[in-house]
Amino acid sequence: MAICYQSPFKPITTLSLPRTHQTRKTRPCGVVVVIRCSKTQLLSTEPEPVFTSVRSFAPATVANLGPGFDFLGCAVDGLGDHVSARVDPSVHPGEVSISEISGDNAKKLSKNPLWNCAGIAAIEVMRRLGVRSVGLSLSLEKGLPLGSGLGSSAASAAAAAIAVNEIFGARLSTEELVLAGLKSEEKVSGYHADNVGPAIMGGFVLIRSYQPLELVSLKFPAEKELFFVLASPDFEAPTKKMRAALPTEIGMPHHVWNSSQAGALVAAVLQGDVEGLGRALSSDKIVEPRRAPLIPGMEAVKRAAIEGGAFGCTISGAGPTAVAITDDEARGRAIGERMVEAFMVEGKLRAEAVVRRLDRVGARLVSSIPR
């Protein structure tokens, strides 16, 4: 089995959902977009390809954000995966093949589309579109390491979903693309949308409900500065293994605490309160205490980040990447150096740190060749 591990509030308005990802990128400041993913029907008419080939990109994501286990996540600018899709007469009509995988740990990934997160998402998009007379070939360029806690599997799935949808004229809605990505996530790491949601939608995303799936896009004010310091050690933390470490039951005090902190985090996002965002992000009493001991040096890394001036620090997704929050890029670089040092001194792990902004766009088309 091959795996892709991989200030008071401003007014809140519910908006109708645009049909394509190209028209959903600009949102009024302070607006929350609610996406309700009801059961969808297959298109009655099979769409024709409008492009011979396309290339797409989907960003890295930070899931959980501390107290928001499985229901909060955000997209990070400048890191992610690319997928190229082309109409291929040699591929059986209605099917998908993966011709090439390049980049980080490419040899660990299967070219069998049934066991590759990009392939699974692409097949689901084809099914939803009702494509039966055209075959597609995919090329996956991995820009994210496997098992890094940066949404590697979700980035591949999101990029593939966008690429296939675009090649047929962007007929599917955002919610259908998220559901296609979830089909992939369910197979490789579990049914959770806190990576694939923001990978497709961009920005901060709250999963309000899974049955039925309902996503809330949270707008962080454009005029506010927000930087993520991502320190990634040379250590793999597969999502399934890290989920196995979680408690099956929690006490009421911890439930109340984490609920209040998750609410505070959402408020901080909408208000552009980076300091409050950092405090809430650092406050998890349920998941982080179980996972941090499994990542050598993580507790020291968190201390080093906060002592270095970060507003908060936690584990990104299932780890091992640590994510810290600041409002100053130069300070972020200094914080990153402290985090890397802590990984080496306390965890005996080599690590690299980068400073990135919030990705407000999500998965998108990069280039295309008309048919």
Side-chain angles (χ1 to χ4, degrees):
M1 176 177 177
I3 305 293
C4 283
Y5 288 123
Q6 316 239 351
S7 204
F9 290 115
K10 297 179 180 179
I12 294 179
T13 307
T14 299
L15 303 182
S16 59
L17 182 72
R19 291 295 298 175
T20 75
H21 78 283
Q22 291 150 312
T23 59
R24 61 183 166 78
K25 293 174 184 174
T26 301
R27 308 184 191 108
C29 183
V31 167
V32 172
V33 182
V34 180
I35 300 176
R36 294 179 176 87
C37 302
S38 56
K39 289 185 178 181
T40 55
Q41 295 181 344
L42 301 183
L43 298 185
S44 57
T45 303
E46 180 179 353
E48 292 286 332
V50 298
F51 297 112
T52 300
S53 66
V54 299
R55 186 167 183 259
S56 63
F57 170 82
T61 48
V62 174
N64 302 337
L65 295 171
F69 177 71
D70 273 7
F71 65 87
L72 285 171
C74 67
V76 179
D77 184 51
L79 303 170
D81 289 358
H82 288 86
V83 168
S84 298
R86 63 183 176 87
V87 176
D88 190 343
S90 68
V91 178
H92 192 277
E95 295 185 0
V96 172
S97 74
I98 298 178
S99 59
E100 182 182 6
I101 303 174
S102 60
D104 192 83
N105 288 309
K107 293 182 179 179
K108 291 186 177 182
L109 303 179
S110 174
K111 289 185 180 180
N112 183 340
L114 298 176
W115 295 104
N116 181 289
C117 37
I120 297 168
I123 291 169
E124 179 64 13
V125 171
M126 293 271 279
R127 186 191 72 81
R128 288 174 175 272
L129 288 169
V131 176
R132 297 175 295 276
S133 59
V134 175
L136 297 183
S137 178
L138 304 182
S139 296
L140 171 61
E141 303 167 46
K142 288 298 298 177
L144 295 174
L146 310 183
S148 61
L150 293 172
S152 178
S153 61
S156 295
I162 289 292
V164 175
N165 190 44
E166 289 292 335
I167 214 167
F168 291 102
R171 301 286 295 276
L172 298 186
S173 61
T174 298
E175 70 263 36
E176 291 172 297
L177 294 172
V178 172
L179 287 168
L182 262 176
K183 195 79 171 180
S184 172
E185 289 286 82
E186 182 178 19
K187 193 160 191 176
V188 302
S189 62
Y191 194 81
H192 56 93
D194 49 347
N195 286 116
V196 75
I200 289 175
M201 298 165 60
F204 287 90
V205 174
L206 163 69
I207 294 84
R208 179 178 176 181
S209 167
Y210 276 96
Q211 295 295 334
L213 184 66
E214 188 172 331
L215 309 176
V216 181
S217 180
L218 307 172
K219 177 70 174 179
F220 185 85
E223 69 275 11
K224 297 284 188 173
E225 292 281 20
L226 173 61
F227 294 94
F228 299 90
V229 186
L230 303 167
S232 300
D234 187 13
F235 183 81
E236 193 168 313
T239 301
K240 287 185 178 180
K241 177 182 176 180
M242 299 303 280
R243 280 182 172 268
L246 302 181
T248 56
E249 295 182 353
I250 59 171
M252 183 61 74
H254 282 174
H255 163 68
V256 172
W257 172 261
N258 266 41
S259 297
S260 67
Q261 296 308 304
L265 192 148
V266 170
V269 168
L270 295 176
Q271 293 173 316
D273 178 5
V274 183
E275 188 172 350
L277 173 58
R279 285 198 305 270
L281 179 126
S282 293
S283 66
D284 176 30
K285 290 187 177 181
I286 297 173
V287 177
E288 184 183 313
R290 293 296 189 99
R291 287 178 166 174
L294 303 180
I295 304 170
M298 178 59 72
E299 291 160 335
V301 169
K302 181 173 183 174
R303 288 196 303 271
I306 294 173
E307 289 171 1
F311 293 131
C313 180
T314 191
I315 302 169
S316 178
T321 295
V323 55
I325 298 292
T326 183
D327 60 359
D328 182 84
E329 187 172 11
R331 185 184 305 123
R333 289 194 292 270
I335 292 167
E337 291 175 1
R338 283 174 170 259
M339 295 168 75
V340 168
E341 182 181 8
F343 264 128
M344 176 57 72
V345 173
E346 299 295 334
K348 304 298 185 284
L349 294 176
R350 288 184 296 180
E352 295 182 356
V354 296
V355 181
R356 292 289 185 267
R357 294 179 184 270
L358 179 71
D359 184 306
R360 298 173 183 268
V361 178
R364 60 266 201 184
L365 188 66
V366 174
S367 62
S368 61
I369 299 176
R371 200 173 184 199

